[in-house]
Structures are given as C-alpha cells and as structure tokens.
Amino acid sequence: MLTIKQNLLETIRGGNPDRFVNQYEFMDIILENPIDFMAPPGGTVKTGWGITFRWPEGQIGQFPLHDEEHKVLKDITKWKEQVKAPEIPDTDEAWAAAVEHANRIDRNEKFVTAFIAPGVFEMCHHLMSMEDALMGLFEEPELMHELIDYLTEYELKLAEIICRRLKPDAIFHHDDWGSQKNSFISPAMFEEFYLPAYKKIYNFYRQNGVELIVHHSDCYAANLVPFMIEMGIDIWQGVMTTNNTPELIKQYGGKISFMGDIDSGVVDFPTWTREIATREVERACTNCGKHYFIPCLTQGLGFSSFPGVYDCVSEEIDKMSKKMF
C-alpha cells in the first residue's frame, strides 16, 4: 500500500495510485502563521492592512466592509498614500507555533504545507471593493499595475520568511478568481494583470524548495487553466462542477490536476443527508476517473460548514476506492 504522499504523486503524475486521494489528506496545513485576517464567527477583525472583516452571525464566512468608514483605498489615484503594507513578523517567538507544527509532521507521509491567503486579486478588492477594483482595471490600468506590483512584493517578502522558517514541501494558496458561472475578469485581462504576479510568486516558492503548489479558487475558472499551468500550479483545488471537470482532465491532465468536483453548496448545508453525499461522490469519482483528479469538497480547507459533512464525504470516497481500484 502506498503512503498518502506516494499515492498523491502517482495520481498527479498519471502513474499507478492504489486508491483515490481523499480530500485534504495529503496536506498537513500550517495555520499558525502570525498573519491574522480571519474574524471569529459573529465577530470582526481589522488586519494590518487596515481591512475590516466581519463574519455575520449565522453565516458561513466573512467578507470585508466597504462602507465609507471602513474602505481602505477610496481613490486608486492616491493608492500610494492610502495603502501601506504592514510589517511581517519575523521573530522566533512569532513563528514558534508554526515551526513546532512543521517539525512534528512526518514528511515521508504528508506534505508540510504553508497556508497563504488572501491572494493578489482578493487583496485588490479587499482594499477597495469589488466594484472599484474591477473598474480600476479598465479606467486606471497603469495604477492598478503599480498596486499589484506592490502587493506582489509583499507576498514575496512573506514567501521568503515562510521558506526560511518552515521549509515547506507544499503551499496552499487562496485567491478566488470567479463566480460559479464565469471568471471575474476576461482571460486577456487576467493574463495582463495577474499572471505576471503569480509567475513571480510561484517561481520563488519553487526555487526555494517547494515541490507542490496547490491553488484554491472555488469557482468557474476553466478559461484560466492555461494560465494556471503557465504560472506553475500543480493542483487546482475548488474546481466546481460548472467547469466540466472531466473535460478539463481530458484536455489538461498531465499538466495540472483538479481537486474538487463535489460542490460544497450541493452537499454541505443544514439539512444535508448521506444520500446526497453518496450521490455526488459517486458521480465525481465515476466521471473524473483515477488520474489527475482528487475528489474533494470545493471548500477551501479540510472541514465543512455543517457538522459531519466532511467526514461523511471522506467515508464515501473510501467506498468508491474499494469499488474502482
């Protein structure tokens, strides 16, 4: 029987896996980074960038506030005055918990995985709102290039600290690039504004010992897959069924792998049932096959919004492994 890590590599290399990779099992994700951007459920948090996030009571996630009081970047022509990158903690004390976590992981069994969020596109609309960010790309492209370069330099500084202190085998990087139906911007605009940033970021990680690059974007982004490959992504996590995952595997398998095809919105809700989970797992595994595919909820970490769903999906994936391998 292959180890979890070996089975993952056989799957994404088109080799001889002996079972399905089961959701997030191959990544031991280090969440103890001293970069706080998550509000507690029902609460708020203000980040070092000045962005205020609120997680409303009874909702399944957070989003930044963009009223006049809370919006950080109110005028793209004044971004240099209004946007100030915070200092990244770089002391033994600040990183002690993350380093301790990394040191206790068996690297032969799982990938020591650094967690990075939010991404460059998300940072643009977190600072200035989605509407202003999208309009900025049209109305002030030179200034948006400058802002994106500034955000990229910050990410590269963070990447250097992460690689030096944690020596990760993998990174799990968040940046949502679309809705369920389409990407937020056209492929041409993505290529102009965001592809160069991610080529720099992912190339830096690759040059500093990172073997596996996993990118989370739970949306439609089939039209961006060629750019994912160009920037060096190994696994796109969060691929929704609206992307036609079997067709993507047929077209791009061997260049990139796909992790998802079990839409969280279909399976993970208050009145969920095992029958729904069974149906969706069986459909995903049967249609997508054994190579270049990892069945997984599209959710961006290894848990579910409602108790029991993640474990139930994992159990159903194990059942499909027994049927198909």
Side-chain angles (χ1 to χ4, degrees), residues 38-78:
M38 287 297 295
T44 61
V45 68
K46 188 173 184 179
T47 73
W49 290 89
I51 301 165
T52 301
F53 288 93
R54 178 174 295 165
W55 188 324
E57 196 71 50
Q59 298 301 311
I60 61 173
Q62 66 172 21
F63 211 71
L65 301 179
H66 289 129
D67 58 330
E68 191 64 22
E69 177 186 353
H70 293 97
K71 187 187 291 185
V72 175
L73 180 52
K74 297 178 172 65
D75 183 349
I76 185 61
T77 66
K78 299 177 180 177

Side-chain angles (χ1 to χ4, degrees), residues 215-260:
H215 184 99
H216 164 82
S217 192
D218 53 345
C219 62
Y220 177 90
N223 55 347
L224 304 180
V225 170
F227 303 130
M228 295 186 198
I229 294 167
E230 186 175 346
M231 67 179 68
I233 293 173
D234 296 297
I235 300 170
W236 169 19
Q237 191 280 325
V239 56
M240 299 187 70
T241 56
T242 51
N243 290 281
N244 191 353
T245 311
E247 185 59 34
L248 291 179
I249 294 168
K250 185 184 302 183
Q251 187 171 358
Y252 299 110
K255 299 177 180 178
I256 190 172
S257 292
F258 302 91
M259 178 174 172

